[in-house]
Amino acid sequence: MQVTTDAGAPWLIVGLGNPGPEYAMNRHNVGFMVADLLAERVGGRFKRAGKAQAQVVEGRIGPPGPANRRVVLAKPMSYMNLSGGPVNALREFYKVPVAHVVAVHDELDIDYGVLRLKLGGGDNGHNGLKSLTKAFGRDYHRVRFGIGRPPGRMQVADFVLRDFSSAERKELDYFVDRAADAVECLVIEGLERAQSAYNS
């Protein structure tokens, strides 16, 4: 899918998750973890975005010159299944085309730590994506962070709302760092380059 956008428009990078300390280390909150790391990299701190139910950091990524990109990092504070409203409010406020929206989210159908980047597509039962798509259509970028399937007969809802296991946590920082690198590559160099470098 080829989408033409305004090259000078900002990018809206959305980490999907649930607000509150009790959810902070849940598998479902890996999008927040990646957003937090990107905020560190641009030297910003998340703060409430006016009337929008979200926290944002504004900054720039990329080398000086034409590859430098203006970005708005966002964490919706509405809970996962209502993410679309706050994200669309930010998108309209910052005048971000849909194809400049990047959603970073957990993905059940990919092994733990594996990344897949794509543009558009379905929501695969992910309530955060479902809400974004309902709010402004499906033609946004996704950085899908694999969390694997639940073991045995564990329900999906229980699995995604549990913390990463102690074994998973040993590699979590590395995988979050790699996902942040993938987001930067996508924004600076484009989807094809990022897929080639990070889709494993």
Side-chain angles (χ1 to χ4, degrees):
M1 185 190 317
Q2 192 64 35
V3 178
T4 304
T5 63
D6 172 7
W11 286 78
L12 177 59
I13 300 166
V14 181
L16 292 179
N18 288 308
E22 67 272 33
Y23 298 106
M25 289 303 297
N26 286 182
R27 293 181 178 91
H28 223 19
N29 268 44
V30 74
F32 274 19
M33 298 174 198
V34 175
D36 285 338
L37 179 56
L38 287 166
E40 274 183 43
R41 290 183 180 186
V42 302
R45 297 185 67 170
F46 278 102
K47 57 188 177 188
R48 193 71 180 226
K51 294 180 181 177
Q53 211 174 352
Q55 292 183 352
V56 299
V57 170
E58 296 179 53
R60 304 192 78 89
I61 62 174
N68 192 257
R69 303 281 184 262
R70 181 180 167 219
V71 297
V72 180
L73 308 172
K75 296 193 296 185
M77 294 286 114
S78 56
Y79 291 98
M80 183 70 83
N81 60 350
L82 297 173
S83 301
V87 173
N88 201 39
L90 293 174
R91 192 185 69 76
E92 291 177 346
F93 178 79
Y94 288 103
K95 298 179 172 55
V96 177
V98 172
H100 274 208
V101 176
V102 181
V104 186
H105 64 92
D106 58 304
E107 178 59 65
L108 285 161
D109 287 336
I110 303 175
D111 289 341
Y112 174 59
V114 173
L115 296 177
R116 292 272 193 281
L117 286 76
K118 69 174 188 174
L119 174 63
D123 56 60
N124 201 24
H126 193 288
N127 288 331
L129 298 183
K130 201 174 291 185
S131 184
L132 297 189
T133 297
K134 184 177 179 183
F136 50 81
R138 63 178 57 199
D139 295 334
Y140 54 93
H141 288 85
R142 298 102 188 274
V143 174
R144 305 157 72 204
F145 185 111
I147 60 169
R149 301 293 304 183
R153 297 184 178 183
M154 185 187 294
Q155 294 295 309
V156 164
D158 293 334
F159 180 68
V160 300
L161 292 175
R162 287 197 179 179
D163 288 358
F164 284 102
S165 70
S166 56
E168 288 169 333
R169 283 200 296 271
K170 289 176 183 174
E171 296 182 292
L172 184 58
D173 286 349
Y174 168 76
F175 288 139
V176 168
D177 192 70
R178 190 166 183 271
D181 289 346
V183 171
E184 292 183 344
C185 184
L186 167 62
V187 170
I188 296 165
E189 301 187 55
L191 178 61
E192 286 186 15
R193 187 69 179 265
Q195 285 175 323
S196 162
Y198 294 97
N199 278 15
S200 42

